[in-house]
Amino acid sequence: MALLILIGLAAGSASALLAAGVAAGALLAVPLFYLSPLPVMIAGIAFSPLAAAIAVATGGAGLWVAFGGTFLITYLVALGGPALGLSYAAMLARPDPAGRDGLVWFPVGGLVLLAAGFAAVSVAVALFAMAQDYDAYRSAVTVAFQTLVESQGLPAGAGGRDPGAMGILIAAVLPPMAATITMVSQLVSLYLAARAARVSGRLARPWPSLSAFRLPPVTSLVLAVVLALSMAGGLFGLAASAAAATLAGAYALAGFAVVHAVTLGHPARLLLLGALWVTSAALGWPVLAMAVLGFADGMFDFRSRMPTSKGPPAANDR
């Protein structure tokens, strides 16, 4: 018990330091801010959910003392809370003869959807905390963008761009972009935490086949609903668009999993996968193609029809 408390205190302190770095305004602090869930996840996966809970409480208390209640809420909703929830869910298991060693663990697809939900909720909370209506939100974003332009010493309209119009555009795309980045950062932190636990020999869960993960069938229905809600306009519509973006991101990850599975055993697999990931990071549009592929795979289950398939995955892999 004493060891878990010490681990929780250490992990919470590290998480708070990573999150607090963004207050300095340095560019390097931004990726560190998004990696602040990592110590909490390591504590939860490698040791115990109790250690992760202590870490969240420690990190939140430290940020509250240093920066006040707003930073505390941000940490609990967007960083510490999701880290605790994802690490706890990752280690959930139930008895089942179909699973490895008689256990079925919480599916990878469920973890992806859970991260999407956490990210959408955090952006929705931030939106409604930022402004009472869409006009106030758009004005705040536009003013912030104009201030940024002026701080760079550029005159208004430099390069043929109207700062007001650009601010309006940014106001529309900012919530979906923030939600997607948050979801991806949570999943990257979860992957790194699980890897660290595996290397240290403290990962109780068998390592799943990531190329075999699938999203639950209900995901397509939820995506259709949030897309319809995003047409409502206002802050509610923006929050729904953020949720739709995270679900599209989940389908994109499923599409990448399909490509990884299809290329198993191919002599140029490394080259093909490298080219796909590099072009996706550089151009962006291949991610949309992967989302379409992931959605289609959810309907037609391409991986089970592939000649290279090794049969249906173990229940733990889904």
Side-chain angles (χ1 to χ4, degrees):
M1 184 64 177
L3 177 61
L4 292 181
I5 293 175
L6 289 175
I7 291 170
L9 292 174
S13 300
S15 179
L17 288 173
L18 290 173
V22 75
L27 186 61
L28 180 60
V30 175
L32 295 179
F33 173 82
Y34 281 109
L35 283 176
S36 59
L38 179 57
V40 177
M41 291 181 176
I42 292 176
I45 292 176
F47 295 95
S48 166
L50 176 60
I54 294 173
V56 172
T58 302
L63 293 172
W64 176 56
V65 170
F67 301 102
T70 301
F71 216 124
L72 168 62
I73 295 174
T74 301
Y75 178 78
L76 294 179
V77 174
L79 301 171
L84 174 60
L86 285 170
S87 60
Y88 177 76
M91 303 311 295
L92 285 177
R94 60 179 174 82
D96 192 322
R100 299 181 188 177
D101 300 324
L103 290 174
V104 170
W105 297 81
F106 196 87
V108 176
L111 292 174
V112 173
L113 284 188
L114 193 59
F118 281 136
V121 169
S122 66
V123 169
V125 171
L127 276 175
F128 287 101
M130 181 178 180
Q132 299 299 316
D133 54 52
Y134 179 76
D135 290 335
Y137 161 75
R138 184 179 61 187
S139 298
V141 173
T142 302
V143 169
F145 179 75
Q146 291 174 335
T147 302
L148 177 63
V149 170
E150 293 171 1
S151 69
Q152 301 299 317
L154 300 175
R161 296 182 177 87
D162 178 12
M166 287 297 295
I168 293 174
L169 175 62
I170 292 173
V173 302
L174 185 59
M177 184 182 301
T180 304
I181 292 174
T182 301
M183 181 190 76
V184 171
S185 66
Q186 290 174 358
L187 291 174
V188 169
S189 296
L190 184 64
Y191 176 84
L192 293 176
R195 278 290 182 183
R198 188 185 189 191
V199 169
S200 65
R202 300 194 63 90
L203 182 64
R205 171 177 181 155
W207 192 263
S209 174
L210 298 181
S211 63
F213 98 87
R214 288 164 170 78
L215 296 174
V218 72
T219 308
S220 58
L221 176 60
V222 177
L223 177 59
V225 170
V226 294
L227 281 175
L229 293 176
S230 67
M231 305 299 176
L235 292 181
F236 185 79
L238 275 179
S241 69
T246 60
L247 291 177
Y251 272 118
L253 292 176
F256 281 110
V258 172
V259 176
H260 276 253
V262 169
T263 55
L264 279 174
H266 195 284
R269 183 173 190 261
L270 185 60
L271 178 62
L272 292 172
L273 294 178
L276 174 62
W277 283 101
V278 169
T279 54
S280 297
L283 303 178
W285 63 261
V287 177
L288 298 178
M290 290 298 101
V292 173
L293 177 60
F295 185 83
D297 179 69
M299 297 178 61
F300 302 109
D301 197 6
F302 296 137
R303 281 169 282 186
S304 67
R305 303 168 187 266
M306 294 184 307
T308 57
S309 178
K310 299 179 180 179
N316 181 68
D317 293 337
R318 288 181 178 269

